[in-house]
């Protein structure tokens, strides 16, 4: 595989990438920024300063919501890029007891997302509220390092215990 397009503009390690569409890709970096790029022209479309380094980023198709986590905090942060570059366009969700390292939006939903944390839990959120819909202790006495959806009703997580755990999600909304 050869690189088709080179995107340059971050000042530190790029830790997270997520496709918004075939033409747009988002990146998150240790330089405390989220950036949206035109995948064809390699031009920077939008940049947002975050208060901390970005570990994971997830984007709803169409770009109406960007979720990220990082910087060692216990929060899931969301930003609506249509509202502009200000931190006033952000919302934060907190319930984890350790650092959050991964976020993913539920396919087909503009409101539900999941987070994975060093506390070993997965939390299913609805961004219209402040408390998690569900909390699952996915990795006992270990860290949950990654999580992803398979359709709207299945989750898989991986942890420092070397195990993958799969969960079914009941309808919540």
């Amino acid at each position: 595989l050869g690189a088709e397009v080179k995107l340059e503009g971050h000042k530190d390690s790029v830790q997270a990438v997520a496709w918004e569409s075939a033409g747009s890709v988002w990146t998150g970096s240790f330089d405390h920024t989220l950036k949206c790029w035109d995948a064809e022209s390699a031009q920077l479309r939008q940049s947002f300063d975050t208060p901390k380094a970005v570990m994971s980023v997830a984007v709803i198709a169409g770009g109406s919501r960007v979720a990220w986590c990082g910087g060692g905090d216990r929060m899931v942060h969301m930003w609506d890029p249509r509202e502009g570059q200000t931190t006033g366009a952000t919302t934060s969700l907190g319930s984890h007891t350790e650092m959050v390292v991964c976020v993913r939006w539920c396919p087909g939903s503009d409101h539900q997302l999941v987070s994975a944390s060093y506390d070993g839990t997965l939390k299913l959120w609805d961004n219209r509220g402040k408390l998690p819909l569900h909390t699952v202790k996915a990795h006992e006495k270990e860290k949950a390092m990654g999580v992803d959806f398979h359709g709207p009703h299945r989750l898989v997580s991986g942890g420092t215990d070397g195990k993958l755990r799969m969960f079914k999600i009941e309808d919540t909304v």
Side-chain angles (χ1 to χ4, degrees):
L1 277 181
E4 288 183 335
V5 176
K6 189 186 230 180
L7 308 173
E8 296 184 38
H10 283 291
K11 297 177 179 131
D12 204 338
S13 173
V14 175
Q15 188 68 19
V17 296
W19 288 100
E20 174 187 324
S21 66
S24 294
V25 65
W26 284 84
T27 56
S29 170
F30 281 6
D31 67 6
H32 299 217
T33 62
L34 290 167
K35 296 184 183 293
C36 180
W37 305 87
D38 182 300
E40 299 296 321
S41 69
Q43 296 297 308
L44 180 64
R45 287 185 178 164
Q46 204 166 14
S47 183
F48 177 70
D49 294 330
T50 65
K52 304 198 178 217
V54 178
M55 292 289 297
S56 178
V57 64
V59 184
I60 292 177
S64 65
R65 293 273 190 283
V66 178
W68 81 92
C69 62
D73 72 12
R74 300 169 179 143
M75 307 292 280
V76 173
H77 305 282
M78 291 173 294
W79 172 50
D80 185 341
R82 300 167 301 179
E83 298 294 323
Q85 307 298 97
T86 68
T87 55
T90 62
T91 303
S92 295
L93 304 171
S95 177
H96 285 288
T97 59
E98 298 286 339
M99 183 169 79
V100 180
V101 292
C102 188
V103 292
R104 294 289 180 265
W105 287 101
C106 178
S109 173
D110 288 349
H111 302 291
Q112 289 188 349
L113 65 157
V114 67
S115 57
S117 168
Y118 278 5
D119 64 15
T121 66
L122 308 178
K123 294 189 182 274
L124 182 66
W125 304 89
D126 186 307
N127 65 7
R128 296 169 289 192
K130 290 287 188 181
L131 298 174
L133 300 171
H134 297 287
T135 299
V136 175
K137 185 68 175 169
H139 301 274
E140 288 292 328
K141 300 179 186 172
E142 296 288 340
K143 298 172 183 173
M145 298 301 292
V147 64
D148 203 3
F149 281 94
H150 180 272
H153 299 288
R154 301 232 16 193
L155 287 174
V156 62
S157 71
T160 56
D161 56 4
K163 296 177 182 168
L164 295 174
R165 300 281 313 273
M166 291 188 231
F167 303 92
K168 281 189 173 183
I169 302 171
E170 302 298 325
D171 287 331
T172 56
V173 177

